[in-house]
Every structure is written in C-alpha cells, then in structure tokens.
C-alpha cells in the first residue's frame, strides 16, 4: 500500500532596518499553516477562483498561533507582497513594511499571509519574540512555505 502524507510548513525571516541601512534586528521563526490555509490550498487544487496570496500583515498580539486562527490577534498593518516566487516545493513570499507603516512605533510579535487587502483567507500565522519597529524603520519579512 502506498501512503503519502502531504505536509505544509513554513518559516520566516524578519529583518528590521534603520533609516541609515543598518540591521537592527534579524530573526528566523517557524510558522503554522492554519486550517483556512490548508482549505485554501485544497480549493486552488480543485480549480476554484480563490484569490492568490497577495498581502502580509503584522501585529502586536501574543496569543499562540492555533490551527483555527483566521485573523491576527491584533493587526497593526497590512501591505501588498513585493514578490512571490515558486522554487520546486517552496513558495517564497516577501513583503516590506516601510517607514510609517504602521504609523507609530510598535512592538511587533505576530505576522500572517492573506489573499486580500483586508479580511480574506489567512494561509499562515506565527507569533515570535518581540521585534521593535520604530516609525522610521523598515521591516522586511521573507516567508517560505514548503509542501513536502
């Protein structure tokens, strides 16, 4: 008997850059592919017209990520993805939160991938050690989702 269990997992690298270009923080964390994200992938395989993942959000919530999550705990900002690439079984999403996004300094502790500029289906969510983003800083997240 053949048994093949498709699993999805992800990891993201978070980099905070000061206005002078120096790196203030750099960390890599694992994420959770939530139930709505798995349903989204299955629906795309079936040919439904669900929008592609197009936005990334950051927030200040600290509740652990759970499979039933559909939103961030406390969303602070959401931006369009700057790039999406497919490399074999990895899909890499990149987003940059520029200066003034969010509008004030924030202790960022969570992130998520979505298929809309507001609401929408959430593919992944993660909670991580606090990253301090000052108003003038840029924060770039590179998020790799692997199907294996």
């Amino acid at each position: 008997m053949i048994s093949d269990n498709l699993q999805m997992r992800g990891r993201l690298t978070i980099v905070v850059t000061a206005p002078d270009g120096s790196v203030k923080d750099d960390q890599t964390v694992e994420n959770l592919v939530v139930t709505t994200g798995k349903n989204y992938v299955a629906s795309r395989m079936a040919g439904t017209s669900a929008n592609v993942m197009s936005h990334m959000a950051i927030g200040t919530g600290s509740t652990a990520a759970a499979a039933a999550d559909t939103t961030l705990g406390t969303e602070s900002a959401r931006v369009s993805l700057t790039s999406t690439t497919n490399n074999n079984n990895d899909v890499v999403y990149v987003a940059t939160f520029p200066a003034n996004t969010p509008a004030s300094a924030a202790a960022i502790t969570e992130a998520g991938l979505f298929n809309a500029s507001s609401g929408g289906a959430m593919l992944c969510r993660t909670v991580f050690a606090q990253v301090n983003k000052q108003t003038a800083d840029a924060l770039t997240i590179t998020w790799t989702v692997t199907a294996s």
Side-chain angles (χ1 to χ4, degrees):
M1 181 162 98
I2 297 174
S3 177
D4 190 6
N5 296 315
L6 176 65
Q7 295 187 15
M8 296 182 68
R9 66 185 191 298
R11 67 189 172 287
L12 58 156
T13 301
I14 306 159
V15 178
V16 178
T17 308
D20 66 3
S22 62
V23 174
K24 295 174 69 175
D25 197 344
D26 183 354
Q27 62 176 287
T28 300
V29 295
E30 301 297 315
N31 78 271
L32 176 66
V33 178
V34 296
T35 301
T36 56
K38 292 176 182 177
N39 292 340
Y40 167 85
V41 170
S43 75
R44 297 285 296 178
M45 291 171 63
T48 62
S49 60
N51 293 336
V52 298
M53 290 296 139
S54 58
H55 289 77
M56 195 178 295
I58 54 175
T60 58
S62 59
T63 302
D69 290 345
T70 58
T71 63
L72 294 183
T74 308
E75 188 170 321
S76 300
R78 190 181 292 206
V79 298
S80 295
L81 297 173
T82 54
S83 71
T84 303
T85 56
N86 183 0
N87 183 12
N88 296 320
N89 60 335
D90 289 339
V91 179
V92 181
Y93 303 96
V94 179
T96 298
F97 296 82
N100 301 311
T101 306
S104 59
I108 305 302
T109 54
E110 62 178 337
L113 281 169
F114 296 87
N115 71 343
S117 60
S118 64
M122 180 168 65
L123 178 63
C124 303
R125 177 171 181 251
T126 190
V127 176
F128 44 84
Q130 178 176 307
V131 172
N132 294 310
K133 182 185 182 302
Q134 300 303 314
T135 306
D137 294 342
L139 183 147
T140 300
I141 298 177
T142 302
W143 202 318
T144 304
V145 177
T146 302
S148 61

